[in-house]
Every structure is written in structure tokens, then in C-alpha cells.
Amino acid sequence: MLRHPLDRACGELNHWVFRASRSRIPEIVELAGKIRRRRPDILRTIELGCSNARLEAFNNRIKVTVRMAYVFHHVTNLISLVMLRCGGLDIQLPTPTT
């Protein structure tokens, strides 16, 4: 849906919400209400053509780093590790010569 033109996406979203709100499944009706409330945000995302996938990946990387850092005694070590893993710094380690 992120690749559709905005007017087509708007029409499809309206159609889905209309059909879902008349469903007999309570969870689908609840979801339709949530989508109806967030409709401007959804359409803005489609208009801009972006998603939050990159942000979610970044948050996941930080969570994994925090789990790795449970043994650290100081929070500054955790912050340093997050900056090292997420800062985009490419460190080339020396390779052994034979």
C-alpha cells in the first residue's frame, strides 16, 4: 500500500474500514476503529512513502546491546557499547600475517 498513489490508497483504506466495521468479529471491529482514529497518520505515511522499519531495527539493536551489557558495573560502559554498535563506526581490526 505504500507504493499506491494516495487517492487509490485512501479509497482502499476507506473500503476496508467500511467493511471491517460491519464485521461480526469484535476484534476486527475494534481494529477498524483504531484505523479510523489513526487514518490521517496512515495516509501521511503513504504520502511520504516511508515506514518505521529502520527505527524499529535500531531499537532492536539497542535492546540486544542492553541485554549483552547486564554484566557491566557502570552505565557509561553501556552507553559506550551502544555508541560503538549503533554509531556507524567501521573499525578494521588488524589481520594476522602468516
Side-chain angles (χ1 to χ4, degrees):
M1 206 178 211
L2 285 177
R3 302 285 181 228
H4 288 352
L6 184 60
D7 55 344
R8 181 176 172 200
C10 182
E12 289 182 15
L13 186 64
N14 289 340
H15 178 68
W16 189 91
V17 168
F18 175 79
R19 297 281 310 257
S21 63
R22 282 147 183 80
S23 172
R24 293 182 182 158
I25 303 170
E27 291 83 4
I28 298 295
V29 174
E30 180 184 350
L31 178 62
K34 289 179 182 179
I35 289 175
R36 191 178 296 117
R37 284 191 301 274
R38 301 299 299 207
R39 186 177 180 277
D41 298 330
I42 294 170
L43 292 176
R44 190 175 314 114
T45 300
I46 293 169
E47 181 182 8
L48 296 175
C50 63
S51 72
N52 66 342
R54 184 172 289 169
L55 180 62
E56 292 294 332
F58 190 71
N59 285 339
N60 187 39
R61 179 174 260 189
I62 290 174
K63 286 180 186 178
V64 169
T65 305
V66 167
R67 264 185 267 141
M68 286 174 36
Y70 275 138
V71 297
F72 291 162
H73 296 289
H74 301 286
V75 73
T76 55
N77 295 339
L78 168 64
I79 293 170
S80 298
L81 186 61
V82 167
M83 294 298 288
L84 182 65
R85 291 197 70 211
C86 301
L89 184 63
D90 186 27
I91 298 176
Q92 298 294 324
L93 298 174
T95 58
T97 57
T98 55

